[in-house]
Amino acid sequence: RRSGFGTSDMAPCELRAPAQPMIWEFCEGGSWKALGPEDSEALEATYARDPKGAAELNLGPHRKCYHVDFARMLRSGEQQDEVQQLRRVEMQAEPVVDRSAPEAHQPQPVRCAYECTADRANVPTMELMEQGEVGGSGECIASARTISSGPSRGESILLVVLTILVGLWEVLLLFQPSVPWLGDKVFFIVALLFQVTMGVAILQNRRPNLQATWPGRLLDICHWAFVLMVFAGALLLRAPDSLSVVVALSAASLALRIGMRHRCIITRVAQLSSLPDISGQRVTALFLTLFVVSSARLGLMAAFGPGFPLDQLVLEGARHLRTAAHLIQ
């Protein structure tokens, strides 16, 4: 370095390596998997605007909608409440492994603390590992804290309240003379048994994660019963008062699913589901169809009489049988 007229005291230029591009990875099956370049760019651009915010992004080969929480580094899909841990890392070349170093000091693959405690349809439990100091053997001493993607207390209370209200409505219908025993009252007795079971299972929830316990399994069974019975009831129930329950349930399910971004409150509380793997928006469309069909049938009952068209078909069939029997005689 020289000093004098026409020169200046300047530090020599420091050669710096260009910043490595960031890539995003998600946790699946206990290991980190890289997202595609397009997904990483979208996540990085959104993260740069607000590292502590949240956003809705279309990711993956099928451009599914995910809610990304950058503060917690989690993404949640609309399908069976799927939640996955995220991280952003620099794109780097493969590390050089020193073959002369002891095996304990060789670079070890980083695994994420992800556990799916039931089958693939179940909602996973997310655990974030906070890494501590490195011991003498080179192993990482880690402590885990569970971050539940499960329900809030308000969701559990709401489900209990709705179950009680529907149950009281069904009990009143059991004492209505206009509601026939054949079909309707038997239907509601079976529904009440499942609703009592559901209420007991929800009240037994004392843990942040239910998927490994019997209440979650029991809620999943009740979930199956609700879906099968509410869709069957739209076609089989005979009394207008009975069908009104299905119309109200389908409307309430629609409102809840739209308010919860196409998610099911029963799945949220149970934290697992063995129902078919259908996207949340399609399930919402199915409940919209249920509402339209049950409302239309209720209107037809008002025009053509209770039980339409089942009672009318049965009566017409019985009349033809009597006519045929009379002709044979």
Side-chain angles (χ1 to χ4, degrees), residues 66-85:
Y66 287 93
H67 176 77
V68 181
D69 186 342
F70 292 109
R72 299 173 61 193
M73 279 297 186
L74 297 174
R75 75 171 184 178
S76 55
E78 59 187 24
Q79 191 157 314
Q80 302 295 350
D81 293 329
E82 180 186 4
V83 178
Q84 292 173 320
Q85 185 181 348

Side-chain angles (χ1 to χ4, degrees), residues 179-189 236-239 242:
V179 177
W181 271 100
L182 182 59
D184 293 26
K185 289 186 178 180
V186 174
F187 179 94
F188 289 131
I189 290 174
L236 300 179
L237 291 177
R238 300 167 56 196
S242 302

Side-chain angles (χ1 to χ4, degrees), residues 159-160 163 193-203 218-219 222-223 226 266:
L159 184 56
V160 170
T163 303
L193 292 175
F194 280 110
Q195 286 157 6
V196 170
T197 304
M198 178 182 292
V200 171
I202 297 171
L203 294 176
L218 208 54
L219 280 171
C222 294
H223 195 179
F226 167 76
I266 302 178

